[in-house]
Amino acid sequence: MPGAPYIFSPLTTRRIMLQVIIALLPLVAVALAAFGLRALVLVTTAVAGCVTFEYLGARFLLHRPAAASDLSAVVTGLLLALWLPAGFPLWMVLLGCFFAVIVVKTAFGGIGCNLFNPALAALVFLFLSFPGETSACLQPHWFDFFSDNAQKCTPVLEKLKYLSWENLNTSPESYNLAGLPDFGQMLKGTTCGNLGNITFLAVLPGLIWLLAQRIISWQIPFYYLMTFFILVLVHWLINGTLQNDIFIHFFSGSLWLGAVFMATDYTTSPMSARGKIIFASGCGILTGLIRLYGIYPDGVPFAILLMNAFVPLLDKICTPRIYGTPRR
Amino acid sequence: MNTILTGVLFFSGLALTVTVILHIAAQKTASGQKNTGRPAGTNKIRLDDDFPDYRPRVQNKTQKRKKSPSRKRFSLSGSLHFNSLVSEIPLLEAGLPEYVYIPLKLPHINALPRLTVKKGDKVRAGSLLAQNKKYPEADIYASVSGKITGIENISDAFGAEIPAVIIKVEKDDFEPSIDLSPDIIREIPYSEKEIISKIRHSGIFSLAGAESMENVFTGGQKISRLIINGIDAEPFPGIRENLLCKKAEQIIIGAKILNKAFGIQNALIAINRKRPDILKLVSGLTRRYVGVNTRSCPAYYPSGQKNLLITAITGREISAGRRPENYGFMVLNAEVALAVYEAVLKNKPLCEHFITINKNGKSTSFCTRLGTPVDFLLKKLSLSPENGKIILGNVLTGREVLNSKAPLTGQDSKILYLVPSEQISGPCIRCGKCLEACPLHLQPYAIASALQSHDQDRLKQLHAADCIECGACAFVCPARIPLLSLCRQSKTEFKNN
Ligand code: SF4
Ligand code: SF4
């Protein structure tokens, strides 16, 4: 029965993806400014790889080539690139694209059917297969596009994890001694990191844009960041050391990138508001626990992937009360 | 170093080109191929993006309440708000068509009336055509004066066969007992019994939304609260707000008559919160009438729906399968209150009803005789069905008119004229927007997938049968999944099992 409705909200799948791409642009711009040509190559390779695999997958696996036109592969490519360090080997990027698009997304039936966030799953795959390359970060060389003497460095969170305890307390000298950035440096983006996480400030325009356009709901970023903040804060207040410094944890690493762009992925997050709150709180707690007790310096990808696995369950149990049925 | 840089630049340029080409290719296939995604892709018609008249947004706030009932209120969050530019809509007389077709069987009334006229008879507007002595609600009245040229099956707007009386219009007059003066009668000189019998013998049960009254007449429930629904809250303005602007006093008197008939202390006229002008006008008038009050209500789509209006006003929810009358509420549309006024105080059975025609966001209301063919009104606005689609009903739920010669009945109040454009549906991206939009907090995406797997138990668990078919879910779906059709299908599937 062809039929109603005859008008639609202007938002289509494609338009949503376009809005996410717009929200990612500040991050890409920061990455280009900080890492120059290396960032450009990485981003274009990842995007081109994802789009190519998406097209091939849609064409030969799903047999509906139109499925590749919704721009979601561009988002996946951008996100994947933003989580990788500058100078990451390109063939590994392509491998990651293949894993993200074909293994994680298309094999499950295309957009909307995947259980795990494609970019994150690919990232973890790369991380487990090539731990050396994924953590070989470069010091940002701001506004020096063709710089060829970028220095290798260790990301802040990694420093925290493997800090040796001698002579270190929470005094400012210890921060210098341990090579930890202060708040100003974290804002300016002169700390060591991947393309997308040298400064959390770059995430903010995207966050505001996505909220203003009503693409994402506020619950996920808010509860994610809040539960993480409270958990680490409590831990810090009970036993404050360098290693659980609340400011470093809250403003460095991929926490903001994950909370705004990864945890809010439609397909791999719950649909109801209550489900979203539980999901996001779980992400926050898991991230905190992994950072404080686990062996991985930045727990965000693992935390979100773990919570992804809970989404079908959350969708089942967290349904709103239907009109006219008794109150629970 | 330079060679490396050149190589790298060349590579990234190549990669970019590949991206662009692939995207263009993918899009080409997308537009060339129509039925693509799951669920079994249906194409959709849509207006152009830059539609002048509405800006939808999904509200996220819980509605504020004025007087707090002790019960917790159902949150009206996540309903559609159409900020339509409500302007004064003209209300015109449609005039007399050449022929009118009056259906003999009303779809929602089970009783069948017996014909009192035959072919060749002359009738006057307001005289009986068919009568059911035991069940006068089913009576049929002539809406025009003229000669009966046939009593036969005609095809209705959607192609179904219905029996109808065909009257060739000859004169513009009414039964002599009908008071045609424009003066407003403010006194109600009749007793309860007389009022009820006048209402029952007036043919107003063919109007949409009059079923409540019919149920009370037959079921005899005690009504404690009367709500006159004056809210359109639809993407395109409708007739109720227009009538409240132009015939407010008659509607108030109609409410008073109903108060008296059913022994109700207080009637409320629900008014769109976004129309303070109407509120001012009507509440100024109600001050003169004891027992009729106004209440401004949140105007979201679909707050014109009876059950949701009751919830917005009183906080009570109507369980699925029960009627507002079971809870002591009666909701009647403003048109019905007006018809009650005319029937009781002017002796005028239902001959006319109101139709709003909307073309590209511009509306015109017509007062037309019952049984006027659709194309008579279309011609008035020089619209031709060839170029666009004619939709009978609301823009979110209406159905396409297949036979534009078919008559309009009391159930119809809106005609839309649209120029169609293609919509491609894709797979569900699990965005949860349909969930947010559903006024009943159903899960349309889950209903759709349960329907595809024919999972009756799951459909039951999801309360698919409660759906009020408002179309909000299908409106917001970014993947353009025909959720409304699927919800309707699942309801029929229920009925069949
Ligand atoms: S059509 Fe049914 S399922 Fe869809 S929003 Fe309306 S009530 Fe909910
Ligand atoms: S609105 Fe459409 S795409 Fe979004 S969850 Fe509902 S059915 Fe899926």
Side-chain angles (χ1 to χ4, degrees):
Chain A
M1 185 173 82
Y6 302 93
I7 54 168
F8 292 90
S9 94
L11 220 52
T12 59
T13 306
R14 208 182 139 85
R15 207 141 161 171
I16 288 172
M17 294 304 163
L18 197 66
Q19 303 286 9
V20 179
I21 293 172
I22 292 172
L24 282 168
L25 286 182
L27 278 159
V28 175
V30 165
L32 290 184
F35 295 105
L37 189 59
R38 291 183 183 85
L40 182 68
V41 175
L42 193 59
V43 170
T44 37
T45 314
V47 172
C50 282
V51 172
T52 314
F53 287 125
E54 171 95 351
Y55 183 74
L56 295 178
R59 169 115 223 183
F60 297 109
L61 295 176
L62 296 179
H63 305 294
R64 48 184 162 95
S69 71
D70 59 20
L71 293 176
S72 62
V74 178
V75 174
T76 308
L78 282 176
L79 283 173
L80 182 60
L82 287 174
W83 287 71
L84 293 172
F88 194 70
L90 294 184
W91 66 270
M92 289 185 191
V93 178
L94 290 179
L95 198 62
C97 293
F98 175 80
F99 191 80
V101 174
I102 301 291
V103 179
V104 182
K105 195 160 113 191
T106 313
F108 279 80
I111 187 169
C113 300
N114 46 308
L115 184 56
F116 296 105
N117 186 321
L120 273 186
L123 188 82
V124 169
F125 162 75
L126 291 176
F127 190 75
L128 297 178
S129 321
F130 316 106
E133 281 78 2
T134 38
S135 53
C137 292
L138 292 183
Q139 191 69 35
H141 44 85
W142 282 84
F143 305 115
D144 183 3
F145 197 74
F146 296 105
S147 165
D148 48 0
N149 58 344
Q151 283 136 22
K152 284 229 156 60
C153 63
T154 322
V156 187
L157 289 173
E158 211 155 315
K159 275 185 202 157
L160 282 186
K161 197 103 258 172
Y162 306 118
L163 218 53
S164 67
W165 285 86
E166 290 140 44
N167 311 328
L168 295 181
N169 46 34
T170 48
S171 64
E173 299 85 63
S174 318
Y175 278 80
N176 280 334
L177 215 62
L180 294 178
D182 58 23
F183 189 59
Q185 280 170 316
M186 286 192 277
L187 285 189
K188 274 186 277 171
T190 49
T191 57
C192 184
N194 302 331
L195 289 194
N197 65 10
I198 48 172
T199 168
F200 84 99
L201 274 185
V203 178
L204 290 185
L207 172 64
I208 293 168
W209 177 257
L210 290 180
L211 285 177
Q213 296 289 321
R214 291 167 193 271
I215 304 290
I216 63 173
S217 53
W218 58 273
Q219 283 104 340
I220 291 181
F222 177 77
Y223 280 93
Y224 194 153
L225 295 172
M226 194 190 68
T227 44
F228 178 81
F229 187 82
I230 290 176
L231 184 73
V232 181
L233 183 71
V234 169
H235 200 265
W236 188 59
L237 287 179
I238 292 171
N239 179 19
T241 65
L242 272 187
Q243 262 162 332
N244 60 10
D245 183 285
I246 177 77
F247 288 103
I248 293 186
H249 273 299
F250 196 60
F251 293 115
S252 64
S254 307
L255 181 69
W256 285 70
L257 192 59
V260 175
F261 290 102
M262 294 305 210
T264 55
D265 174 33
Y266 283 149
T267 308
T268 55
S269 64
M271 295 208 209
S272 65
R274 211 179 321 164
K276 280 175 182 157
I277 292 173
I278 297 175
F279 170 81
S281 310
C283 286
I285 291 169
L286 279 178
T287 311
L289 292 180
I290 294 174
R291 283 206 189 170
L292 296 172
Y293 300 107
I295 56 160
Y296 297 105
D298 189 353
V300 176
F302 293 97
I304 299 179
L305 277 185
L306 268 175
M307 286 313 290
N308 281 170
F310 281 94
V311 167
L313 178 68
L314 288 176
D315 266 341
K316 245 202 183 99
I317 58 176
C318 295
T319 52
R321 183 178 67 84
I322 292 169
Y323 176 91
T325 56
R327 291 181 170 79
R328 286 190 281 237
Chain B
M1 192 60 220
N2 264 346
T3 36
I4 298 174
L5 277 185
T6 325
V8 165
L9 265 181
F10 177 75
F11 181 81
S12 49
L14 199 73
L16 256 183
T17 325
V18 171
T19 318
V20 171
I21 290 175
L22 278 179
H23 253 282
I24 292 172
Q27 253 188 50
K28 277 248 169 70
T29 22
S31 51
Q33 191 180 329
K34 274 161 200 166
N35 288 350
T36 43
R38 293 158 306 118
T42 326
N43 293 318
K44 290 311 201 78
I45 317 304
R46 87 179 268 201
L47 302 173
D48 292 316
D49 263 354
D50 51 352
F51 209 67
D53 208 10
Y54 76 98
R55 277 221 100 207
R57 80 192 163 81
V58 170
Q59 192 207 26
N60 278 323
K61 273 173 269 142
T62 327
Q63 170 226 347
K64 272 185 246 123
R65 66 171 92 160
K66 262 194 206 152
K67 285 181 204 153
S68 55
S70 53
R71 289 171 237 94
K72 205 175 140 232
R73 185 167 283 207
F74 183 77
S75 113
L76 295 171
S77 61
S79 321
L80 291 184
H81 285 242
F82 289 98
N83 301 347
S84 45
L85 308 167
V86 249
S87 54
E88 204 73 342
I89 308 165
L91 178 56
L92 310 174
E93 283 290 334
L96 293 168
E98 205 175 329
Y99 285 94
V100 297
Y101 306 83
I102 300 191
L104 280 174
K105 166 88 180 76
L106 299 169
H108 53 283
I109 296 179
N110 288 327
L112 257 181
R114 184 173 303 150
L115 274 176
T116 55
V117 290
K118 56 183 187 307
K119 193 173 166 183
D121 283 2
K122 295 245 176 189
V123 291
R124 294 181 96 166
S127 63
L128 264 177
L129 290 183
Q131 192 177 26
N132 186 329
K133 288 238 167 60
K134 287 218 190 72
Y135 199 84
E137 285 85 350
D139 288 358
I140 308 282
Y141 292 84
S143 60
V144 291
S145 304
K147 193 170 149 199
I148 296 179
T149 56
I151 297 169
E152 53 200 59
N153 276 354
I154 58 165
S155 128
D156 77 356
F158 312 115
E161 293 269 292
I162 45 168
V165 177
I166 304 169
I167 306 175
K168 183 171 186 333
V169 181
E170 284 171 349
K171 263 187 279 169
D172 186 10
D173 62 355
F174 282 85
E175 281 280 306
S177 59
I178 296 175
D179 174 3
L180 289 172
S181 71
D183 314 335
I184 296 174
I185 302 172
R186 296 192 173 78
E187 295 303 313
I188 310 166
Y190 305 105
S191 70
E192 264 169 58
K193 282 237 168 64
E194 284 170 322
I195 295 176
I196 290 183
S197 121
K198 273 181 171 257
I199 295 176
R200 294 187 76 180
H201 292 90
S202 64
I204 62 181
F205 300 91
S206 74
L207 277 182
E211 307 90 78
S212 287
M213 216 157 41
E214 192 194 336
N215 294 337
V216 176
F217 285 142
T218 48
Q221 295 95 335
K222 178 88 189 84
I223 298 297
S224 57
R225 199 136 193 203
L226 171 66
I227 296 169
I228 303 292
N229 180 1
I231 299 180
D232 286 318
E234 278 169 10
F236 303 125
I239 188 60
R240 291 176 205 152
E241 284 162 18
N242 200 354
L243 277 183
L244 275 181
C245 286
K246 295 187 171 115
K247 308 212 166 187
E249 189 151 15
Q250 288 93 317
I251 291 170
I252 294 168
I253 299 169
K256 254 203 93 103
I257 296 170
L258 288 163
N259 270 355
K260 191 165 176 187
F262 295 105
I264 303 165
Q265 299 303 322
N266 197 355
L268 281 180
I269 301 186
I271 292 168
N272 187 340
R273 190 168 281 169
K274 291 193 196 121
R275 296 292 305 266
D277 52 326
I278 298 182
L279 184 66
K280 208 169 145 222
L281 175 83
V282 180
S283 49
L285 286 168
T286 48
R287 232 166 274 145
R288 284 191 245 143
Y289 296 88
V290 185
V292 184
N293 286 310
T294 51
R295 173 68 67 85
S296 98
C297 290
Y300 62 93
Y301 181 82
S303 63
Q305 210 270 342
K306 270 185 205 172
N307 296 359
L308 295 176
L309 187 65
I310 290 171
T311 309
I313 289 178
T314 67
R316 278 295 276 279
E317 289 173 28
I318 312 299
S319 301
R322 303 199 65 192
R323 294 196 173 118
E325 298 86 67
N326 301 127
Y327 295 80
F329 298 113
M330 183 155 78
V331 183
L332 293 175
N333 295 341
E335 308 91 283
V336 179
L338 182 63
V340 164
Y341 162 82
E342 302 215 315
V344 174
L345 295 180
K346 300 259 179 186
N347 276 328
K348 187 176 178 186
L350 191 77
C351 298
E352 287 154 343
H353 68 150
F354 299 92
I355 299 277
T356 307
I357 302 188
N358 189 296
K359 186 197 169 199
N360 294 349
K362 268 196 226 65
S363 302
T364 317
S365 292
F366 284 105
C367 175
T368 96
R369 300 300 172 92
L370 284 169
T372 303
V374 177
D375 57 359
F376 176 73
L377 287 183
L378 295 180
K379 262 188 223 121
K380 286 248 149 197
L381 291 179
S382 20
L383 302 174
S384 73
E386 282 86 56
N387 316 333
K389 277 188 188 222
I390 308 292
I391 314 293
L392 206 51
N394 176 336
V395 70
L396 293 185
T397 59
R399 292 174 69 188
E400 195 189 337
V401 172
L402 301 174
N403 169 17
S404 67
K405 300 244 178 318
L408 291 161
T409 69
Q411 297 290 307
D412 306 318
S413 64
K414 280 196 156 187
I415 299 177
L416 296 164
Y417 178 81
L418 314 166
V419 181
S421 79
E422 294 286 338
Q423 284 293 311
I424 302 157
S425 76
C428 169
I429 56 169
R430 291 178 34 88
C431 65
K433 291 196 186 296
C434 51
L435 204 90
E436 245 171 66
C438 179
L440 305 189
H441 298 182
L442 298 174
Q443 301 166 53
Y445 73 96
I447 293 176
S449 71
L451 178 72
Q452 263 148 27
S453 52
H454 297 283
D455 188 343
Q456 287 291 331
D457 296 334
R458 179 97 180 107
L459 281 177
K460 194 168 212 165
Q461 204 185 340
L462 293 166
H463 287 253
D466 296 6
C467 169
I468 54 168
E469 306 184 16
C470 67
C473 49
F475 174 85
V476 294
C477 178
R480 298 293 186 253
I481 294 170
L483 290 170
L484 177 62
S485 322
L486 293 170
C487 285
R488 280 179 175 159
Q489 267 175 44
S490 67
K491 283 180 81 168
T492 35
E493 192 140 316
F494 256 110
K495 266 189 215 128
N496 298 344
N497 279 279

